[in-house]
Amino acid sequence: MNLKTFNFYQYVKDKMPWEAQESFFYANNETYRDLRVDFPFRTTHYGIGINYGRGSSQCRLGSTDYMLKDGSLTTLGPGIITCWKSTYDLKNETVFFSDALFRNLKAPPLQTLPFFMHGGNHMIKVPEKNLVELKDLFLNIKRFSNNHQVLQGLVFSLVQYVQQMHNLLSAANNTSQKEQLIQKFRALIARHFIESKSVGFYAAQLHVTPKYLSEVLVDITGKTAKELINEHIFLEARSLLKQTSMTIKEIAYWLGFEDQSYFVRTFKKQTGSTPSEYRKL
């Protein structure tokens, strides 16, 4: 198996060497427009972004679709598949960083923060007052991007500010038991989708019946449990087709499909094209 993973950081470094450091790089909507990465890819860094101005933009972070508008704050962690639409009219500022940025600080494990984890809430709407403060923080991060000692403190402050925002909004919104169930379901899919594609498996893990699980999902998301499982599987498949040199047979086997022809048929049903056709897009 020749698995040559597409590395977004490396891609930025190759295309824009003046923008990227080993543990940090800064991007905005113009960066995305210039790079033209409009296919699903697995992230290698943590990312925090703010979106503002007129217009809107769609994206998928993990297994959830989001509509980004003025005041949208996005977060993602390493290993999460993301897909951004090819329109970048909405203003955006994003910082990408790795754990190595904080090697001189006694920082808590970032991967334990829910908004960086699989199944977490990767987008929240922040009030105007906080958006102004975030813009100032992003501006200072950009200003000191070549001063590692100052930069690590500023980015860590950004992480703490984002954590505070999530805590405040979570308390205000009083997340329901159904929404908590959905978050746990999404996290389970990310961990077990290769070994199990059965709704019954996930329902058992969540201590509910398959019928109840799907009813909750349809009520909140408009999609059944099986539809969400399939979406996650074939988002992974699309990422592998674009990010690696694996053959279609290898990808099918990697994703737990013993029958390649069944994988091809199901992929076309989900995406509208065969794996070979999608790889050439």
Side-chain angles (χ1 to χ4, degrees), residues 28-30 32-33 50-58 67-72 87-93:
N28 58 24
N29 52 300
E30 294 179 357
Y32 294 129
R33 185 184 295 116
I50 56 170
N51 302 270
Y52 54 92
R54 295 183 178 180
S56 61
S57 180
Q58 286 185 312
M67 179 63 73
L68 306 181
K69 297 180 180 180
D70 183 52
S72 296
T87 54
Y88 307 104
D89 296 330
L90 190 66
K91 296 292 184 181
N92 171 274
E93 308 285 340

Side-chain angles (χ1 to χ4, degrees), residues 100-237:
L101 180 65
F102 307 118
R103 57 179 170 263
N104 297 325
L105 293 178
K106 292 183 179 180
L110 298 181
Q111 66 270 22
T112 63
L113 296 174
F115 49 81
F116 285 142
M117 298 169 62
H118 287 286
N121 184 7
H122 299 298
M123 193 279 286
I124 58 174
K125 177 74 166 63
V126 298
E128 179 62 28
K129 171 181 176 293
N130 300 107
L131 183 61
V132 171
E133 294 173 345
L134 279 167
K135 286 181 182 179
D136 288 340
L137 191 47
F138 272 81
L139 182 62
N140 282 321
I141 288 172
K142 187 175 183 180
R143 181 178 298 149
F144 288 96
S145 60
N146 293 318
N147 186 329
H148 183 270
Q149 189 171 356
V150 176
L151 178 66
Q152 63 179 353
L154 287 171
V155 175
F156 185 60
S157 296
L158 174 63
V159 173
Q160 291 181 307
Y161 192 95
V162 169
Q163 185 177 14
Q164 186 180 66
M165 283 289 93
H166 271 267
N167 290 341
L168 288 172
L169 291 174
S170 178
N173 294 335
N174 191 21
T175 305
S176 69
Q177 289 185 338
K178 288 184 177 181
E179 290 170 329
Q180 292 176 22
L181 181 70
I182 293 173
Q183 290 177 1
K184 291 177 182 178
F185 173 67
R186 292 188 187 280
L188 283 171
I189 294 176
R191 290 200 296 270
H192 300 291
F193 71 94
I194 291 178
E195 64 190 76
S196 181
K197 300 168 179 57
S198 163
V199 175
F201 169 84
Y202 295 100
Q205 295 290 312
L206 295 166
H207 307 292
V208 297
T209 66
K211 180 181 179 182
Y212 178 75
L213 177 59
S214 277
E215 286 176 350
V216 170
L217 290 167
V218 170
D219 182 44
I220 303 295
T221 71
K223 298 176 182 178
T224 66
K226 190 61 177 178
E227 287 174 329
L228 290 172
I229 292 169
N230 284 337
E231 277 190 3
H232 191 96
I233 291 168
F234 290 100
L235 185 68
E236 182 81 19

Side-chain angles (χ1 to χ4, degrees), residues 32-89:
Y32 294 129
R33 185 184 295 116
D34 292 341
L35 291 174
R36 293 295 179 187
V37 182
D38 55 1
F39 54 84
F41 65 91
R42 187 179 298 280
T43 57
T44 56
H45 285 54
Y46 298 96
I48 298 176
I50 56 170
N51 302 270
Y52 54 92
R54 295 183 178 180
S56 61
S57 180
Q58 286 185 312
C59 74
R60 168 163 284 222
L61 302 176
S63 57
T64 306
D65 292 314
Y66 296 99
M67 179 63 73
L68 306 181
K69 297 180 180 180
D70 183 52
S72 296
L73 172 67
T74 58
T75 52
L76 65 158
I80 293 178
I81 293 180
T82 179
C83 183
W84 301 80
K85 299 298 183 182
S86 57
T87 54
Y88 307 104
D89 296 330

